[in-house]
């Protein structure tokens, strides 16, 4: 019986995959800081797991370290959903500074790392064969230490965390609950279509390689061989150098070489096919029952934006044939994506008080068309699509103060737009003439960092650098640049987390299954029943004005937040009205 209030919980598994068996479940139960507590070690398939249900009782404080993994595995394999009260990894994340997280990436927030630096204990790790053993005698002492140090870390960090950051902590815990289910749901993928696309791209790659052989027979993935061909044999001018002083052969260097020689376009095309095939092969290997099960992380970026891995759904190339593989293959469900429209620009308008942006959004105008008209001197109705694309690059590129030389490459790589340095400078001047309030925002943000050592977003999240780190001139300049995007990106991300949680709590899994979040969009499967259209509109309403966000935000949202609807395969879906016409037919 678990008669005590506090419980630290940890599991030992055969691996990190969702189907890797849980070998042992450990519980350390204690009443208060002075209670030595007791340990319960359970072996699924051998011991009764009834005691786990007691963790669901009101008043129980369940403490994990990286609890999303443990709770997901138990829910998936044992059909037991354990509520998580605290996660010491998230506490450690919020108690860390940006430099600590950046400089110690990947080894700062693990249980062992936290215990060693916070408690001064020795590393108690054991070899993998013991951690994955089915022998209680081999695992028990190791598991008990995991449980005990999780308890001590919790007791230390609950007093260490700034009380003003507790709201962010509670939001992260809510989001963790959602992402646990998101990871269990997975994102549907059409595996038969994947095979067809893979075959098509393999043929395209082979054809491109045949064309490249007319120039040379080299390993096209070898930077050194490519350097020799481009700069020695073909005599092309070196556009840039790598950090190690080698002539560049990356995407940025090749983009600068476009138009200098026919081979450059072929090499870029080859890279596109090769990269696409890398994704396709990875998806095929990871696919289970027609779905991909990615991991979503709330602790790996210093701005608070969610990251993704295994696979990374946020880095899929801009290729419709890849994106459209993600579609519902169940006739009773439909894939639906709701995407925030220009969320960072809208958030920046709120944060920095940019009147021109606010007016445009409140009047239902297109910000990119407005900028294109301003730069070109044309009436809005005469703005061409290429001109709007250039303006779009400017709105996103210059938002955080990018310089013209950097913008030239940004526009070319990100938007396929060629322009001279003179043109980029002219566009930059026009951008800041229209949005002059941004300069004050930059200065105020940087002054706040220097005065406080941290900056707080309008949703209450903090970006901490610390005076010790800012004392060094190089560090100070680095973070003076880095800090500019935090108040915007962080607030936009936390707004989306509020919406995500509300959607999760509003709908049952039988009607709406959240499958993924990618940048500013939420991708779901929605059951095609009589509530289908109403459910989508309700989700749209939640995203545009989540109730939870009202408890967090400290500024008036004086412009519309818009979430666009896309129904059907990812990237080629249609709006509700068009889908309704097709569905009626």
């Amino acid at each position: 019986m678990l008669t005590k209030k506090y419980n630290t919980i940890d599991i030992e598994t055969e691996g990190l995959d969702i189907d890797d068996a849980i070998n042992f479940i450990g519980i350390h139960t204690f009443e208060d800081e002075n209670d030595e507590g007791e340990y319960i070690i359970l072996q699924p398939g051998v011991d009764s797991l009834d005691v786990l249900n007691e963790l669901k009782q009101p008043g129980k404080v369940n403490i994990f370290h990286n609890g999303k993994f443990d709770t997901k595995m138990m829910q998936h394999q044992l059909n037991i959903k354990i509520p998580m009260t605290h996660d010491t990894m998230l506490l450690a994340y919020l108690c860390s500074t940006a430099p600590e997280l950046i400089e110690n990436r990947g080894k700062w927030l693990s249980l062992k790392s936290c215990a060693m630096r916070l408690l001064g204990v020795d590393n108690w790790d054991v070899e993998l064969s013991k951690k994955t053993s089915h022998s209680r005698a081999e695992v028990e002492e190791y598991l008990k230490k995991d449980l005990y140090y999780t308890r001590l870390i919790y007791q230390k960090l609950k007093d260490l965390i700034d009380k003003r950051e507790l709201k962010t902590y509670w939001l992260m815990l809510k989001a963790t609950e959602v992402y646990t289910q998101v990871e269990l749901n997975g994102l549907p993928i059409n595996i038969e279509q994947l095979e067809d696309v893979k075959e098509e791209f393999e043929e395209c790659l082979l054809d491109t390689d045949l064309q490249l052989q007319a120039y040379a027979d080299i390993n096209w993935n070898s930077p050194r061989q490519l350097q020799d061909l481009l700069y020695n044999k073909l005599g092309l001018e070196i556009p840039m150098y790598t950090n190690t002083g080698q002539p560049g052969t990356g995407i940025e260097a090749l983009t600068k070489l476009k138009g200098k020689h026919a081979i450059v376009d072929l090499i870029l095309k080859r890279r596109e096919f090769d990269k696409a095939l890398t994704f396709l092969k990875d998806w095929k290997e990871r696919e289970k029952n027609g779905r991909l099960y990615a991991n979503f992380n709330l602790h790996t970026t210093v701005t608070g934006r969610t990251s993704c891995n295994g696979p990374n759904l946020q880095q899929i190339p801009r290729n419709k044939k890849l994106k459209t593989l993600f579609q519902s293959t169940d006739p009773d469900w439909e894939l639906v994506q709701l995407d925030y429209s220009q969320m960072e620009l809208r958030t920046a308008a709120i944060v920095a008080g940019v009147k021109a942006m606010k007016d445009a959004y409140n009047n239902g105008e297109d910000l990119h068309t407005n900028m294109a008209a301003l730069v070109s001197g044309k009436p809005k109705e005469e703005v061409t699509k290429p001109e709007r694309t250039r303006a779009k690059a400017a709105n996103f590129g210059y938002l955080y103060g990018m310089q013209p030389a950097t913008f030239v490459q940004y526009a070319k790589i990100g938007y396929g737009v060629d322009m001279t340095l003179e043109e980029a400078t002219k566009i930059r001047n026009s951008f800041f003439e229209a949005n002059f309030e941004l300069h004050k925002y930059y200065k105020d943000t940087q002054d706040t960092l220097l005065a406080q050592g941290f900056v707080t977003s309008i949703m209450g999240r903090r970006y901490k650098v610390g005076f010790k780190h800012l004392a060094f001139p190089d560090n100070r300049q680095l973070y003076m640049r880095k800090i500019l995007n935090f108040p915007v990106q962080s607030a936009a991300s936390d707004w989306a987390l509020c919406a995500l949680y509300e959607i999760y709590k509003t709908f049952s899994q039988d009607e709406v299954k959240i499958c993924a979040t990618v940048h500013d969009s939420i991708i779901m499967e929605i059951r095609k029943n009589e509530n289908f259209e109403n459910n989508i509109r309700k989700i749209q309403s939640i995203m545009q004005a989540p109730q939870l966000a009202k408890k967090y935000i400290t500024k008036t949202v004086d412009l519309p937040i818009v979430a666009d609807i896309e129904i059907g395969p990812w990237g080629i879906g249609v709006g509700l009205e068009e889908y309704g016409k097709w569905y009626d037919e």
Side-chain angles (χ1 to χ4, degrees), residues 441-452:
Y441 157 72
Y442 299 153
K443 185 177 186 305
D444 289 348
T445 302
Q446 292 174 333
D447 287 349
T448 299
L449 178 65
L450 294 177
Q452 297 182 163

Side-chain angles (χ1 to χ4, degrees), residues 17 38 82 97 150 168 286 303 431 533 554 560 571:
D17 188 83
E38 302 170 8
I82 307 298
T97 65
T150 298
T168 300
R286 294 180 185 275
T303 61
F431 177 86
E533 182 175 339
T554 58

Side-chain angles (χ1 to χ4, degrees), residues 398 401 427-436 438-439 442:
Y398 286 135
I427 293 173
R428 189 180 194 276
N429 291 339
S430 297
F431 177 86
F432 283 107
E433 283 175 13
N435 307 303
F436 61 90
L438 286 171
H439 284 304
Y442 299 153

Side-chain angles (χ1 to χ4, degrees), residues 106 110 142 169 203 212 221 268 293 295 350 356 372 416 425 444 485 505 524 530 558:
S110 71
Y142 170 79
Y169 177 54
E203 291 177 0
L212 283 167
N221 292 320
L268 286 168
Y293 297 90
N295 299 306
I350 296 168
T425 303
D444 289 348
N485 68 353
K505 285 297 186 181
M524 295 154 277
E530 65 277 6
D558 50 359

